[in-house]
Each structure stands twice: as C-alpha cells, then as structure tokens.
C-alpha cells in the first residue's frame, strides 16, 4: 500500500481498509517503518471488527515475534485490549510477550498481577508493570515503586518512571526527580525535566533554570519546562510576592492590575470564552445518524465527529432531538459495537433520562464507556439505585483518579443533602486515593470542621487536599490554627491558598 493512501486511510479512519491492513501486518515481507505505519493506522481506525483477528495473531506462538508484537500494539494503541477475566486468560498463557501486554493494560482489578512484578526490580517484566501502574494507582505504595525505579540500573526503567511521575505528581518524588534531571542517560534526564514542569516548588523552578543555562539537550528540555513553571509563578506574583522573594530574580516584573488565577496542582480553573462562540457544523438528523452508524465501513473520523458535534460545548444539543426519534436512537447508540459510540452517547441518554440504558452502560465491558456512563448518571433525576451503584463502586476500590471522583460526585448527587457527610469525612480522613479524598472535601462544603486536623498532616500524594481544605476554610470563614504549619511548605498553590485565606 502506498504511503499516500495509508495516510489518507489513517486521517479519515477509513475502516473499509481494515482487512487489507491486517493482511499487511502479518505479511513477513513487511517490516520496519512500513509495519509501524500499519500499526499506527490500525490503531487510529479503532475498528472493533479487528479485535478478534488481532488477538488471535498476538496469541499465536507460531507467528514471528515482531508480527505478534505489532498486533498487540494495535490493540493497546486503540484501547481494545480485553479486560477482566479475558485479560487474566491472557496472563495464564505464561507467554512473556503476552504477559508484558497484560501488565501494561492491567486495571485496578488486576492489582494482584501487578504487585509482585512492580515490587521486584529484578523481574524481567518489571518495566511493563511500572507502565501499568502509571495512571490510576494513586496509593503511596504504588508511587514508591515508581520512585524506586528512578534508581534502577536499566535506563529504560528509569526513563519510564521519570515520565510517569508527571501524571500523579507525588510530592515524595520531587527530590528523586531532581536527581534524575542530571542522570547520565540524556533520555532519562529529559523525561525527568519534562515531568518537573508539574512540580510547583521554588526549588524546582531554581533547578530547571540552572539546567536551562546549558547548551545540550537537557538544557533545551529545561527551557521548555521552566517556561511553563515560571508562567504559573508569575500568575501569582501580585498575591504572594513575599513568598516568591527567593526566586524573584527568575521572574519578570508583575503586571499591574492583573487578577491572578487560583488553582492547584493538576487542576487549573476553567476560564470563560474570550469571544463570541462560533457556530459549529450542522447536526445530523436521527435518520442520518442511523444511516452512518449502521455502516461499519467508511470514514469513521467524520462519523465520530458528528457525535462529538452533539456533545460540543455546554449546550444540550441532544435535547433538540424530537421525542419520537429518541427511543430508536438510544437503542442504536447504547447497543453499538463500537465502544467509542457507546461512550459518546452517554450525554444523550442523560439528556433524555434513559436511566436504564445508562445503568447498563455503567457495567459495560469497556472502561471508558463505564466511566462516561457513571459521569452522565449524575444529571438524571435522583435515584437510590444510582446512589447505591456509585457508592459501591467507590467503596470497592475499583476506581481511582478521574473515574473515582466522578463516581463519588454522582453518588452525592443522588443522596439527600447531609446524608453522606459521615462517609465523606471518613473517606477524607482515611482513604489513600487522592482523587477520592479531595472530592470528599469538596462535597462536604462548609461541613469540614472534623477535617481541619488534616492541615497539619503531611500529604498522602500531593498538596491538593490541603489546598481544597484551605479553600473550604475561606468559604466558611474559618481560620484554624493548623494552617500555621503550612507556611513553610514549598508549594506555589499552598502559598496562594494561604494568601487567599488570610487576605
């Protein structure tokens, strides 16, 4: 297949080419860059019809290793690997090529597979387990496995964790990332420097500035990261100028009359539109949606864009669909074989109060669909069934990160005011998932007094819980003595929150 045609197929996500691309993938005469392009194209297509043949290729020990690996890479790149029991079945093959894929794709339900490999730096699949715990494994012991990886003898392991520590931003990782920023392996150093852009301390700003003074690739990476960090610091100058004095020489002069944006690590505020909203593309009718989505072939980029068009912005475009068209459209979308369609239709089901369909999708085989359904259930009429479902989801430990706090917020939306307070207080005090603790603080509103002692405790993951507590104190008119312990903390957003509280 010509490169130009492959580029068109990839851009349009033309699933008419799926079978031909799979043939090219398994052709032993195809290799190198050409096979890489085919892998990328198939991953972009995301054709659910490709899952079975690709899985068969990946599991077939009679095929060349590079062909099997390519098939598994497509499944990973398109988020079409199996979950649950099917993924464990792959593990049970005992095939290290397949087991490496399992570790990279494992979810929290597979923590028992990940743990022994992640804690054993000598395990041949150690790096793959560290990739697997990169996102969604917030608890301190998982973070310690990654931090320890920065001292591994294999630079590939160090590079992996240096990159991953930019996701959860654990405070405990900052000193190790500072050391990794000068690693003898330039790729490791650059990965650490890139992650440090998310660590908003004066010490990190100073270090990045010093590295940026050089003339090698580390310096080039540092110049990019330090520009990001410096911009965040400069946004706060008018509020916390005194706290910034030790790094004032690295910052520009504060702009007069500007209003700094408040925020916290990993969660910036949403700004309003800067001008009039431009009209989007015209929306397809129900009949047109039926027609395009019933055809598994053709350019799926345009088909998915049509659904994105309905979900565009904050407007309820789905509410404009005639009531008579909704049941048939809901059945088509929620039962579609493509998980992307099922995930994108959740706002429609929420708008139409198709609760049963959303509850079914909350148990979908695909994680992204489940997450979208649980989020969208927040906006349907109150239901004890939904409250129970989402509470059980949080309590089970199955969810963390964005999926975790969205599930908790949906539970709160379906629980009468005040009835969840005791559980929220307990979560904020004892849960080891940062996402759950922080959301619990937010949901408690002005009922946070039992949590004020947390202000004098060290962070479990980041300073985010402390920042939310300080914000709640400000909203409630509280000035607890425990805040005095935070004045020595080297974190931009803690300093900003303290300034807001005492202003």
């Amino acid at each position: 297949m010509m490169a130009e045609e492959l580029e068109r197929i990839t851009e349009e996500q033309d699933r008419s080419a799926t079978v031909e691309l799979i043939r090219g993938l398994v052709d032993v005469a195809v290799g190198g860059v050409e096979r890489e392009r085919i892998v990328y194209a198939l991953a972009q297509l995301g054709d659910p019809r490709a899952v079975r043949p690709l899985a068969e290729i990946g599991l077939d020990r009679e095929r060349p290793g590079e062909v099997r690996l390519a098939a598994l890479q497509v499944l990973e790149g398109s988020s079409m690997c199996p979950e649950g029991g099917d993924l464990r079945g792959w593990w049970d093959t005992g095939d290290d090529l397949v087991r490496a894929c399992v570790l990279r794709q494992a979810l929290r339900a597979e923590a028992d597979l990940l743990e022994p490999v992640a804690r054993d730096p000598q395990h041949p699949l150690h790096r793959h387990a560290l990739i697997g715990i990169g996102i969604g494994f917030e608890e301190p012991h998982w973070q310690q496995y990654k931090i320890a990886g920065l001292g591994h003898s294999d630079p590939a392991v160090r590079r992996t964790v240096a990159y991953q520590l930019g996701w959860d931003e654990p405070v405990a990782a900052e000193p190790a990332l500072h050391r990794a920023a000068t690693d003898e392996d330039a790729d490791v150093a650059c990965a650490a420097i890139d992650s440090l852009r998310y660590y908003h301390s004066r010490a990190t700003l100073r270090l990045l500035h010093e590295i940026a003074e050089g003339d090698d690739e580390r310096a080039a990476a540092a110049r990019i990261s330090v520009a990001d960090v410096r911009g965040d610091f400069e946004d706060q100058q008018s509020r916390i100028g005194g706290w910034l004095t030790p790094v004032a020489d690295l910052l520009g002069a504060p702009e007069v009359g500007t209003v700094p944006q408040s925020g916290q690590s990993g969660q910036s505020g949403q700004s309003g539109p800067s001008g009039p909203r431009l009209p989007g593309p015209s929306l397809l009718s129900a009949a047109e949606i039926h027609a395009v989505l019933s055809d598994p072939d053709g350019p799926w980029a345009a088909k998915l864009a049509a659904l994105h068009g309905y979900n565009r912005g904050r407007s309820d475009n789905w509410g404009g669909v005639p009531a008579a068209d909704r049941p048939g459209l809901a059945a088509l979308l929620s039962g579609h074989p493509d998980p992307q369609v099922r995930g994108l239709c959740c706002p429609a089901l929420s708008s139409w109060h198709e609760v049963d369909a959303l509850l079914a999708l909350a148990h979908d085989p695909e994680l992204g669909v489940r997450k979208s359904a649980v989020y969208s259930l927040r906006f349907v009429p109150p239901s004890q069934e939904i409250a129970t479902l989402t509470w059980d989801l949080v309590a089970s430990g199955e969810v963390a990160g964005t999926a975790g706090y969205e599930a908790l917020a949906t539970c709160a939306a379906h629980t009468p005011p005040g009835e969840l307070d005791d559980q929220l207080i307990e979560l904020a005090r004892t849960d080891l998932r940062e996402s759950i603790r922080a959301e619990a603080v937010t949901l408690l509103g002005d009922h946070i007094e039992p949590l004020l002692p947390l202000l004098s405790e060290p962070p479990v993951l980041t300073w985010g819980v402390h920042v939310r507590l300080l914000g709640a104190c400000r909203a409630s008119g509280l000035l607890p003595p425990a805040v005095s312990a935070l004045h020595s903390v080297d974190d931009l957003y803690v300093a900003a929150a303290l300034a807001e509280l005492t202003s």
Side-chain angles (χ1 to χ4, degrees), residues 365-493:
E366 206 275 332
L367 172 64
V369 179
R370 298 196 299 273
K371 177 181 177 299
S372 183
V374 167
Y375 173 81
S376 296
L377 280 167
R378 189 184 314 178
F379 308 106
V380 302
S383 158
Q384 182 58 51
E385 182 180 6
I386 296 172
T388 300
L389 165 74
T390 49
W391 174 256
D392 288 346
L393 193 59
V394 171
S396 71
E398 180 183 332
V399 292
T402 306
Y405 72 72
E406 288 178 352
L408 185 57
T410 296
C411 179
H414 289 272
T415 305
E419 284 193 12
L420 201 60
D421 283 4
D422 288 346
Q423 293 96 316
L424 292 173
I425 289 169
E426 184 64 16
L427 287 173
R429 280 175 171 164
T430 65
D431 204 285
L432 295 179
R433 292 166 292 178
E434 176 96 346
S435 56
I436 299 297
R437 298 178 74 232
E439 187 65 19
V441 171
T442 297
L443 293 171
L444 280 165
D446 58 2
H447 300 162
I448 57 156
E449 281 202 64
L451 300 180
L452 297 183
L454 293 178
L455 289 170
S456 60
E457 296 182 9
V460 174
L461 181 67
T462 76
W463 291 104
V465 170
H466 294 71
V467 169
R468 292 207 190 190
L469 277 171
L470 291 171
C473 286
R474 183 174 187 267
S476 304
L478 299 172
L479 186 59
V483 302
S484 61
L486 296 176
H487 285 286
S488 61
V489 171
D490 187 7
D491 181 88
L492 176 68
Y493 296 112

Side-chain angles (χ1 to χ4, degrees), residues 130-197:
L130 294 178
I131 292 172
I133 64 173
I135 301 176
F137 292 80
E138 301 173 273
E139 294 89 337
H141 73 284
W142 297 113
Q143 303 299 329
Q144 287 302 320
Y145 295 147
K146 289 185 283 187
I147 294 169
L150 288 175
H152 200 278
S153 59
D154 184 349
V157 172
R158 301 201 302 276
R159 185 165 58 249
T160 292
V161 292
Y163 166 76
Q164 288 180 323
L165 287 166
W167 287 103
D168 290 331
E169 307 158 37
V171 171
E174 191 167 8
L177 281 172
H178 281 200
R179 294 189 293 272
T182 59
D183 194 278
E184 62 183 7
D185 185 290
D187 290 338
V188 174
C190 288
I193 288 166
D194 183 69
S195 288
L196 281 168
R197 75 175 69 194

Side-chain angles (χ1 to χ4, degrees), residues 335-346:
H336 200 277
D338 190 331
Q340 295 179 85
V341 173
R342 300 198 301 276
L344 285 169
C345 82
C346 289

Side-chain angles (χ1 to χ4, degrees), residues 224-408:
I224 296 171
S225 287
V226 78
D228 282 354
V229 178
R230 184 190 296 120
D232 293 332
F233 272 66
E234 289 175 344
D235 286 344
Q236 303 291 343
Q237 275 180 292
S238 62
R239 177 185 293 138
I240 55 172
W243 185 85
L244 293 172
T245 297
V247 291
D249 58 308
L250 308 182
L251 307 176
E255 295 182 24
V256 179
T258 59
V259 179
Q261 296 292 319
S262 62
Q264 67 187 64
S265 178
Q267 293 184 325
S268 59
Q270 293 288 334
S271 60
S274 57
R277 187 185 298 275
L278 297 176
S282 59
L283 301 175
L284 297 181
S285 68
E288 289 170 327
I289 291 176
H290 271 279
V292 298
L293 294 184
S294 297
D295 179 8
D297 284 326
W300 271 78
K303 298 181 184 189
L304 295 172
L307 295 184
H308 279 293
Y310 268 96
N311 293 339
R312 185 178 60 249
R314 296 190 179 94
S315 56
D316 181 16
N317 293 315
W318 291 110
V321 174
D325 292 335
R326 294 177 184 178
L329 201 52
L332 169 74
L333 296 171
S334 63
H336 200 277
D338 190 331
Q340 295 179 85
V341 173
R342 300 198 301 276
L344 285 169
C345 82
C346 289
L349 301 176
S350 177
S351 175
W352 304 336
H353 293 173
E354 292 279 354
V355 176
D356 288 344
L358 277 174
L359 285 170
L361 291 178
H363 297 91
D364 194 87
E366 206 275 332
L367 172 64
V369 179
R370 298 196 299 273
K371 177 181 177 299
S372 183
V374 167
Y375 173 81
S376 296
L377 280 167
R378 189 184 314 178
F379 308 106
V380 302
S383 158
Q384 182 58 51
E385 182 180 6
I386 296 172
T388 300
L389 165 74
T390 49
W391 174 256
D392 288 346
L393 193 59
V394 171
S396 71
E398 180 183 332
V399 292
T402 306
Y405 72 72
E406 288 178 352
L408 185 57

